[in-house]
Amino acid sequence: MEGKRLTSYAMEELECPKCGHKHSLKKYKVINVTEKAKLKEEIMKNRLYQFSCEECEYMAPLTYDSLYVDSQRNIMIYMAPVMNAEIKAEIAELEREKGIDKRLVDNINDLKEKIMIADNHLDDRVIEIIKIMYLDQIKKEMEDDTLLNILFDYNRDNYCFLVFFQKKGIGKIPLTREFYRQVEDKYKEAIKEHSTDGFMKIDMEWAGKILFKNHNKFN
C-alpha cells in the first residue's frame, strides 16, 4: 500500500482549446506532500492543477482524478471530478489502510479548503456544521442574490469563511476559536455516529443531515 501513496505522474499531450497549440503536461496521479513538500505550495498557488498556453496565454483550471497524501497531517484526499468504476476500485483498495483520515472531493477549491483546514489542525466535519449555522447570518443577502459557495480561509491566526455571491461578490464572516470549540464539543457524538473509516465526502450536505437529525440549534 505504501508504494501506491508515493508521488507519481504521467505526461499527457493536451491541445489548447483556444488556439490549438499542443502541450505536454504533467498530470499527477499521487501527490505526496510529505515526500515532496513543494507540491503543496504549487496547489495552493493554483499552479499545479492549471492549464497554461505559452502560445496564446490562455489559462484554465485543470481538474482530474488524483490522490493527495499528507502523512504529517494524517490525511488522504481523493479528488474525483467524475466517479467511475476504475476510481471506485482504486478507492476501495486505498480504504484498506487504517489510521488515516480519508476525504473525497470533486473540485480544486474543495481540495484546497481541506488542505487549509488540516494545516490548522481543525476538523473539517466541525467546519461544515458551522457553515450551516452561519447561513442564518446571510439570509437577508440570499433573498436577492445567489449563494455560490462558502469556504474556510485564514490569515495567520485569524480564521474566517469567504462567502461567494453571484452579484455581490465575496464577503467574509469571522470564526473564533471559542465558537469552533463549542460546536466541536456540542456535536462530538453526532459527528462520531456519522463518520466512517472510509473515504467520506464531508460537505454542507453531510453537515445538514446531522443538524436536521439533532433538531436543535447552537445558542
Side-chain angles (χ1 to χ4, degrees), residues 9-144:
Y9 62 86
M11 301 304 297
E12 184 173 321
E13 189 175 85
L14 293 178
E15 189 175 282
C16 176
K18 185 177 180 180
C19 71
H21 183 71
K22 292 183 178 180
H23 297 260
S24 183
L25 190 70
K26 185 184 291 185
K27 292 180 71 173
Y28 284 87
K29 186 63 179 175
V30 179
I31 300 168
N32 189 321
V33 297
T34 308
E35 174 196 2
K36 296 186 181 296
K38 182 72 174 178
L39 291 178
K40 182 192 288 189
E41 181 182 349
E42 294 294 297
I43 293 172
M44 302 310 292
K45 291 186 175 180
N46 298 316
R47 294 172 181 164
L48 196 143
Y49 295 105
Q50 181 83 9
F51 177 86
S52 180
C53 180
E54 68 268 13
E55 191 71 20
C56 69
E57 298 184 349
Y58 173 81
M59 296 179 67
L62 185 65
T63 309
Y64 54 88
D65 59 285
S66 60
L67 177 68
Y68 175 93
V69 180
D70 188 338
S71 299
Q72 291 181 335
R73 304 298 187 213
N74 196 45
I75 192 167
M76 290 195 296
I77 308 169
Y78 201 109
M79 182 168 68
V82 178
M83 190 64 66
N84 56 38
E86 183 180 350
I87 292 174
K88 287 181 180 178
E90 186 173 350
I91 286 175
E93 187 173 352
L94 287 166
E95 284 184 335
R96 298 176 186 175
E97 186 164 350
K98 305 300 181 182
I100 186 168
D101 293 332
K102 307 174 188 74
R103 297 293 185 260
L104 186 64
V105 299
D106 56 21
N107 63 81
I108 299 167
N109 285 333
D110 285 354
L111 171 64
K112 290 168 63 178
E113 182 186 45
K114 297 296 183 190
I115 293 171
M116 286 191 288
I117 292 170
D119 281 351
N120 282 276
H121 306 284
L122 302 176
D123 189 328
D124 61 330
R125 298 169 297 181
V126 177
I127 291 294
E128 295 299 332
I129 290 174
I130 294 174
K131 285 182 186 180
I132 299 290
M133 293 177 170
Y134 276 13
L135 288 178
D136 283 340
Q137 296 188 27
I138 56 176
K139 275 184 177 178
K140 188 174 181 180
E141 286 83 352
M142 290 168 62
E143 290 175 0
D144 58 354

Side-chain angles (χ1 to χ4, degrees), residues 149-167:
N149 208 349
I150 303 177
L151 293 172
F152 171 83
D153 197 13
Y154 71 99
N155 181 11
R156 295 183 180 178
D157 294 330
N158 298 314
Y159 302 150
C160 71
F161 290 102
L162 298 179
V163 186
F164 297 83
F165 286 104
Q166 190 173 51
K167 298 176 184 177

